[in-house]
Amino acid sequence: MLTTKNSQFYLDDQPFQILSGGIHYFRIVPEYWEDRLRKLKALGLNTVETYIPWNVHEAKKGDFNFSGLADIEKFIELADQLDLYVILRPSPYICAEWEMGGLPAWLLKDNDIVLRSSHPTFLKHVEDYFDVLLPKFKRYLYQNGGPVIAMQIENEYGAYGNDQAYLEFLKQQYQKHELHTFLFTSDGPDFIEQGSLPDVTTTLNFGSKVESAFATLDAYKPGSPKMVTEFWIGWFDYWTGKHHTRDAQDAADVFRELMEQKSSVNFYMFHGGTNFGFMNGANHYDIYYPTITSYDYDSLLSESGEVTEKYKKVKEVLSDYIEVPEDYHSQIETKNYGEVELTESVSIFDMIPQLGRKVSHIAPLTMEKIDQAYGYILYKTNVNRQGELSFNIDAIQDRAFVYINGEYVDTVYKNDEIKERKLNFPNQDNVLEILIENMGRANYGEHLTDQKGLVKNLWLGEQYWFDWEMYAIELETLPQSFTGSDTRYPRFFKGYFTVDVQADTYVDLTGFSKGNVFINGFNLGRYWVTAGPQQRLYLPGPLLKQGENELVVLELENADEKKIHLVDAPKLA
């Protein structure tokens, strides 16, 4: 089993350097797990690391999922078959630029809960989840013949709180389930004191300044083994921003510093993958920064799993210290399937009875309060006043389309500089509709508990408006019928195309604005062409079927084109 002494790691009482890469099984179609793991091993790494997102495995309280993209055991077994060690990070919170940092949205239904703390309600939910999750890993521990050599207690907790009783509770959960394995915490150098436990190994997360980072660790815990649990070699992107890149040689040079220090390393990310569906997170500092669908991260493998120049530079460095394997050449094909005509169209408003779960209440309720995790929510009320009425957009989280008497009148986004808006009600009796998109919950920092939808009643024309209808539109299913008379956006567009050979491709959304793409019912993720940087969505080949395939686009704003192109290259502007 993994241990530490004399400021270094030992495995089976022999000095051991962890050379690891981060791969998130939930961001990659299962058919490609083995390909990514083989490329990791071919680099010369001996370990794979992964987070475990609570909201993937328990999307609804007590409803557990460990199949398909969520089959963590299959992922561990594949790593074991390839003679790779495994590091698991199943802390309740993972960050990872993932929706709500991996915490399930249903936690927010309880007004009194205190997340990431020793608050009894939160701990009870964690324990219920861990009672199902943690026993699965016992047979995979190294001392039981499996590949798992270490597990993380919590993730970057020092950058959030200082509740040591909470960290101690998590540690006790591992003991309760007899997971007698190597435990650790990880934090940035400035936060290790609040995020660590005295008798648990402290590791670091950083992308540069190697000597000063380890000096901070040694000053806090003398004799600690050197371990970078997250060696940031790239970065994530957000809508309206630029695509982040890091020079390949620069990343390789810092990696050489780590090798000279004989540090253990986990590349974050080795392979980033994709934020499928509605699962992208967001950061909220001065303003709100929702993460894009691609989690390419400028990592060692591209979003589609291709070896990058950075991969090659890192392998050159590694070859100076260990004997590296031969390269692994993937057999995955990328194909341009051409044009897909979108021949059917229907407004989301025609589909509300089919897709929306109705809730009525005297005041508007947030998504979380009506047990809605993701997607869109429609609010509807009557306004029996005529004329111009002002309101503040702070009630709206995150982005909304406003309609009066069935006519579109405004788009509102929480980042808008002008907060005071005016609405003109032409009649004495009017219908006000507000369709709100949850663009991703914060995954880091003080806004982790922010709710979505209308977070308070509208103070409209110096009055509150009561008696609201709400329609939860999670899009777990798509419209069965594409018939309707409403001409408004958002609109669903549908088309079909035929595939002879399943290959990777990219959905080019030129001519569209903002929305989601579904392939054979699977939600590929969000696009926002007019904001960028991402212009095309990655479509992995295994999501296609030989023969006829269905492609549905939910366009929120306007479609200049009624066709989609499936091309053979990404586009991150």
Side-chain angles (χ1 to χ4, degrees), residues 217-243:
L217 175 62
D218 199 49
Y220 173 64
K221 276 190 178 180
S224 292
K226 294 183 176 70
M227 171 72 183
V228 191
T229 297
E230 293 186 15
F231 173 39
W232 303 320
I233 57 169
W235 208 243
F236 56 91
D237 296 329
Y238 60 88
W239 295 116
T240 73
K242 299 292 185 183
H243 175 50

Side-chain angles (χ1 to χ4, degrees), residues 352-477:
I352 294 299
Q354 185 183 131
L355 300 178
R357 173 172 50 86
K358 181 180 177 181
V359 177
S360 298
H361 196 262
I362 191 70
L365 300 173
T366 64
M367 279 187 170
E368 294 77 9
K369 291 298 186 288
I370 65 168
D371 296 313
Q372 181 180 0
Y374 315 116
Y376 304 85
I377 182 168
L378 176 66
Y379 293 87
K380 187 175 182 179
T381 192
N382 293 317
V383 177
N384 57 352
R385 279 181 62 183
Q386 192 171 22
E388 194 173 71
L389 304 180
S390 63
F391 74 105
N392 192 298
I393 70 171
D394 285 343
I396 294 172
Q397 307 289 326
D398 298 312
R399 195 167 184 269
F401 303 101
V402 183
Y403 309 83
I404 296 175
N405 302 329
E407 297 289 333
Y408 165 80
V409 295
D410 201 5
T411 299
V412 174
Y413 185 32
K414 67 187 296 180
N415 285 348
D416 292 346
E417 292 184 8
I418 299 174
K419 302 298 182 184
E420 286 294 326
R421 298 293 180 91
K422 294 180 180 180
L423 297 175
N424 184 48
F425 293 90
N427 307 324
Q428 186 57 46
D429 291 295
N430 306 273
V431 176
L432 173 64
E433 294 170 298
I434 304 174
L435 180 68
I436 300 180
E437 178 188 6
N438 167 6
M439 291 178 58
R441 293 181 180 85
N443 53 257
Y444 183 86
E446 62 178 323
H447 291 276
L448 192 64
T449 58
D450 284 2
Q451 299 194 22
K452 300 298 183 180
L454 275 180
V455 297
K456 58 184 177 182
N457 204 346
L458 281 189
W459 185 248
L460 180 61
E462 299 183 350
Q463 281 182 292
Y464 280 128
W465 294 90
F466 294 107
D467 297 316
W468 290 81
E469 294 177 359
M470 287 146 279
Y471 297 85
I473 309 166
E474 294 197 77
L475 296 182
E476 293 179 345
T477 60

Side-chain angles (χ1 to χ4, degrees), residues 183-251:
L183 300 178
F184 66 95
T185 60
S186 66
D187 280 282
D190 294 338
F191 296 106
I192 54 176
E193 185 172 352
Q194 303 293 348
S196 300
L197 284 173
D199 54 349
V200 172
T201 295
T202 298
T203 68
L204 299 178
N205 298 341
F206 60 78
S208 59
K209 300 179 182 177
V210 174
E211 288 193 12
S212 64
F214 284 135
T216 301
L217 175 62
D218 199 49
Y220 173 64
K221 276 190 178 180
S224 292
K226 294 183 176 70
M227 171 72 183
V228 191
T229 297
E230 293 186 15
F231 173 39
W232 303 320
I233 57 169
W235 208 243
F236 56 91
D237 296 329
Y238 60 88
W239 295 116
T240 73
K242 299 292 185 183
H243 175 50
H244 289 87
T245 60
R246 181 178 182 181
D247 180 73
Q249 190 61 56
D250 176 62

Side-chain angles (χ1 to χ4, degrees), residues 25 33 50 52 57 65-81 86 88 132-140 147-148:
Y25 58 96
W33 288 347
T50 188
I52 299 173
H57 295 296
N65 175 29
F66 294 96
S67 62
L69 281 165
D71 194 344
I72 176 61
E73 290 187 79
K74 180 180 177 181
F75 184 77
I76 294 171
E77 288 164 2
L78 275 172
D80 193 24
Q81 291 166 17
V86 176
L88 298 178
V132 175
L133 177 73
L134 294 186
K136 295 179 180 294
F137 302 135
K138 185 175 179 180
R139 67 191 182 106
Y140 296 114
V148 176

Side-chain angles (χ1 to χ4, degrees), residues 113-378:
I113 199 167
V114 183
L115 302 184
R116 300 182 74 191
S117 81
S118 55
H119 185 273
T121 304
F122 181 63
L123 294 190
K124 181 63 170 65
H125 287 309
V126 172
E127 188 166 26
D128 290 346
Y129 167 55
F130 274 6
D131 281 350
V132 175
L133 177 73
L134 294 186
K136 295 179 180 294
F137 302 135
K138 185 175 179 180
R139 67 191 182 106
Y140 296 114
L141 298 184
Y142 182 74
Q143 65 268 31
N144 295 334
V148 176
I149 58 172
M151 299 177 76
Q152 179 177 262
I153 287 180
E154 234 273 4
N155 184 60
E156 296 185 321
Y157 186 66
Y160 185 80
N162 64 347
D163 190 343
Q164 296 289 296
Y166 166 56
L167 297 181
E168 188 62 38
F169 166 84
L170 296 177
K171 178 187 171 188
Q172 293 300 323
Q173 288 295 298
Y174 288 90
Q175 296 176 1
K176 169 185 172 181
H177 293 289
E178 299 181 328
L179 294 178
H180 305 304
T181 187
F182 185 87
L183 300 178
F184 66 95
T185 60
S186 66
D187 280 282
D190 294 338
F191 296 106
I192 54 176
E193 185 172 352
Q194 303 293 348
S196 300
L197 284 173
D199 54 349
V200 172
T201 295
T202 298
T203 68
L204 299 178
N205 298 341
F206 60 78
S208 59
K209 300 179 182 177
V210 174
E211 288 193 12
S212 64
F214 284 135
T216 301
L217 175 62
D218 199 49
Y220 173 64
K221 276 190 178 180
S224 292
K226 294 183 176 70
M227 171 72 183
V228 191
T229 297
E230 293 186 15
F231 173 39
W232 303 320
I233 57 169
W235 208 243
F236 56 91
D237 296 329
Y238 60 88
W239 295 116
T240 73
K242 299 292 185 183
H243 175 50
H244 289 87
T245 60
R246 181 178 182 181
D247 180 73
Q249 190 61 56
D250 176 62
D253 289 344
V254 178
F255 177 55
R256 184 178 294 278
E257 288 184 59
L258 292 168
M259 293 300 291
E260 286 296 311
Q261 294 257 6
K262 296 182 171 54
S263 170
S264 288
V265 182
N266 177 58
F267 287 94
Y268 193 99
M269 297 291 298
F270 172 78
H271 172 49
T274 307
N275 296 315
F276 293 120
F278 296 117
M279 299 310 291
N280 66 280
N283 286 279
H284 192 164
Y285 307 116
D286 54 329
I287 61 171
Y288 171 74
Y289 298 94
T291 305
I292 70 171
T293 298
S294 171
Y295 200 62
D296 177 84
Y297 209 86
D298 195 36
S299 50
L300 299 185
L301 299 185
S302 70
E303 180 183 10
S304 61
E306 294 179 10
V307 167
T308 66
E309 183 65 23
K310 195 174 290 183
Y311 179 106
K312 296 172 184 176
K313 292 286 186 184
V314 165
K315 191 166 186 177
E316 287 176 13
V317 172
L318 200 52
S319 67
D320 291 339
Y321 299 89
I322 65 169
E323 184 176 343
V324 297
E326 293 183 2
D327 291 339
Y328 172 74
H329 299 287
S330 177
Q331 300 302 310
I332 295 172
E333 182 183 356
T334 303
K335 189 168 182 179
N336 183 332
Y337 287 106
E339 186 178 287
V340 180
E341 290 283 349
L342 301 177
T343 56
E344 299 179 58
S345 171
V346 68
S347 171
I348 198 171
F349 290 95
D350 282 318
M351 296 294 104
I352 294 299
Q354 185 183 131
L355 300 178
R357 173 172 50 86
K358 181 180 177 181
V359 177
S360 298
H361 196 262
I362 191 70
L365 300 173
T366 64
M367 279 187 170
E368 294 77 9
K369 291 298 186 288
I370 65 168
D371 296 313
Q372 181 180 0
Y374 315 116
Y376 304 85
I377 182 168
L378 176 66

